[in-house]
Amino acid sequence: MIATGVALAALALFAAACGTGGTGTRDEGPAHASAATGVVASPSPSPTPTSRYREVDAVSLLKEDPAVSTEVKRELKPCSGDDYPVEATYGDLTGGAVNDIMVNVWACGDEVGIGTYVYRDVGGTYKNVFKAEVSPVFSEIDHTDLTVTQQVYDTDDTTSNPSREIVITYHWKAGRFTERTRHETVYSRTGGDAAPAQDN
């Protein structure tokens, strides 16, 4: 009788907990699958970034590169303090496992671009796969294309007023950069306005 009374009391308490006076276990939502099997769920590991980025010392890269001209290497010194006239941009230009590095170099005095280069990771070492040293020159990464801008000066042009501007877009194909598009802007000699771009 005592055992029967205890069982009835337990049943009454369970019914009261699940009655209209409360929501019971529904407050917690559905049980996790691992909890149902008695396994304690371990927290999910934080996602590890699959970054293709590997930073390098662009100045040292240029100084050690035999493809970089002596004239450009002479400019590889700080313009003020520790600021070198070098800009490095990382991006996917060649489809390699590690991001490529595009480097622009300019002259300290007039800040005119004097060289632009692209380095590709080959077996853990960066290899020069593009260079342009016809000043003034400047490059940018446009999605997976390389865009190179060159300003052309006639003999009587000032630095601020070039005669023409040539923009060439290159795309990596079959192990090298090939020219995709080229357009040229011819600037007016009187008002400084640009003539319509001519696509080639």
Side-chain angles (χ1 to χ4, degrees), residues 5-190:
V6 171
L8 288 173
L11 183 59
L13 287 172
F14 178 78
C18 295
T20 56
T23 58
T25 58
R26 296 173 68 177
D27 285 340
E28 301 300 325
H32 193 276
S34 60
T37 60
V39 178
V40 178
S42 59
S44 299
S46 300
T48 53
T50 56
S51 176
R52 295 159 36 91
Y53 173 79
R54 179 161 65 89
E55 185 174 359
V56 299
D57 182 348
V59 175
S60 296
L61 191 65
L62 293 167
K63 286 182 176 180
E64 296 169 7
D65 183 3
V68 177
S69 69
T70 303
E71 292 76 12
V72 171
K73 288 182 177 179
R74 271 201 296 261
E75 296 294 333
L76 294 176
K77 54 189 176 183
C79 295
S80 62
D82 295 327
D83 295 329
Y84 282 82
V86 172
E87 176 188 71
T89 304
Y90 298 80
D92 182 11
L93 286 169
T94 69
V98 179
N99 274 349
D100 306 299
I101 307 173
M102 184 200 69
V103 185
N104 285 304
V105 184
W106 59 90
C108 286
D110 49 19
E111 297 187 355
V112 170
I114 58 174
T116 185
Y117 312 87
V118 175
Y119 292 90
R120 183 175 195 263
D121 179 84
V122 179
T125 302
Y126 279 105
K127 177 183 177 183
N128 186 324
V129 292
F130 180 89
K131 78 168 184 174
E133 295 179 333
V134 179
S135 180
V137 63
F138 181 82
S139 291
E140 295 176 291
I141 296 176
D142 182 7
H143 295 93
T144 57
D145 288 337
L146 176 68
T147 302
V148 180
T149 302
Q150 292 180 316
Q151 292 179 324
V152 180
Y153 292 86
D154 289 338
T155 53
D156 57 345
D157 289 340
T158 61
T159 304
S160 59
N161 292 299
S163 296
R164 294 177 285 137
E165 183 177 87
I166 301 172
V167 179
I168 308 171
T169 300
Y170 295 93
H171 187 75
W172 184 261
K173 184 177 180 181
R176 66 187 184 92
F177 282 105
T178 57
E179 184 176 318
R180 288 187 62 181
T181 62
R182 171 189 296 247
H183 69 267
E184 181 174 341
T185 300
V186 179
Y187 294 103
S188 169
R189 303 300 297 163
T190 54

